[in-house]
Amino acid sequence: MKFVIFFISGLLTYNSLSSQVVTDDTVVCIIDTTNSYVEFVKNPIKRDNYQPPDHWQIRIDGHYYDHVPYDKDIACIVFSAGWWSGNLGNISGFPKKRVPKKGLTERFIVVDDEWINQQTSLNSLGRKLGYAPFSKYNYIIFSQDYDCADSDSVTMHRVEIGYSEVQY
């Protein structure tokens, strides 16, 4: 009987922990869509006979191919919301959550679009932001929401990350 109670309490603890954001692997990017190197595209993928659910992408131009002149124009990081490779269960749309601004930098890895734009190494970007959608949890906070003095919380939008890569 003790084993059953211990097992059930362990299972409940595991479920409550796994449903929360993993802070060590959570990256929050503060994005200002008015910057010249940031492009916001709503519903970038359209089909003739099928319109996917609402989705959007944020593309941030990068400098990690500056050492290869003919490839440097394609260096970019893309954050996509609305296309999910993972299992989201009964969540409709794309996941987002409201969190307090206070303590954001202590709880998560926080970067901004300027930092992303200025990086010249794909390896440093991958180590900080993750190499693929499954390596870290990536969220976007729009700077307009973050800079709003009337609110003490922000909305974090769950996104998948992708890079333009050139194979040498």
Side-chain angles (χ1 to χ4, degrees):
M1 183 67 177
K2 287 182 181 180
F3 176 75
V4 172
I5 292 172
F6 178 73
F7 178 74
I8 291 173
S9 66
L11 187 62
L12 291 173
T13 303
Y14 172 77
N15 283 339
S16 67
L17 290 175
S18 65
S19 66
Q20 297 178 9
V21 175
V22 181
T23 57
D24 291 342
D25 291 338
T26 301
V27 181
V28 177
C29 299
I30 300 172
I31 304 294
D32 183 353
T33 56
T34 62
N35 287 330
S36 62
Y37 49 83
V38 176
E39 180 183 11
F40 176 85
V41 181
K42 184 158 179 64
N43 294 327
I45 299 172
K46 297 181 181 176
R47 305 272 197 280
D48 292 337
N49 298 327
Y50 168 73
Q51 175 58 46
D54 278 344
H55 58 286
W56 47 265
Q57 287 183 341
I58 293 177
R59 177 179 183 231
I60 301 174
D61 292 332
H63 293 284
Y64 53 88
Y65 286 136
D66 282 358
H67 63 285
V68 183
Y70 59 88
D71 290 328
K72 72 178 184 180
D73 292 337
I74 65 164
C76 72
I77 295 178
V78 176
F79 295 107
S80 300
W83 292 104
W84 299 101
S85 59
N87 181 10
L88 293 177
N90 60 1
I91 298 174
S92 61
F94 49 90
K96 52 186 169 181
K97 58 176 61 186
R98 200 91 179 132
V99 296
K101 285 183 195 177
K102 185 177 182 178
L104 194 68
T105 55
E106 289 83 20
R107 292 176 58 202
F108 309 113
I109 300 166
V110 178
V111 297
D112 63 7
D113 52 15
E114 182 178 5
W115 180 86
I116 293 171
N117 173 258
Q118 295 304 315
Q119 296 308 300
T120 57
S121 167
L122 188 57
N123 285 334
S124 24
L125 283 164
R127 280 191 304 274
K128 187 87 155 190
L129 303 176
Y131 290 98
F134 50 81
S135 65
K136 293 195 179 190
Y137 294 97
N138 293 99
Y139 286 88
I140 293 292
I141 295 176
F142 292 102
S143 64
Q144 297 85 341
D145 188 22
Y146 186 74
D147 295 335
C148 179
D150 297 337
S151 177
D152 62 348
S153 60
V154 291
T155 301
M156 293 182 6
H157 304 272
R158 178 80 160 89
V159 293
E160 289 184 334
I161 190 169
Y163 298 90
S164 62
E165 295 184 54
V166 174
Q167 299 298 321
Y168 296 105

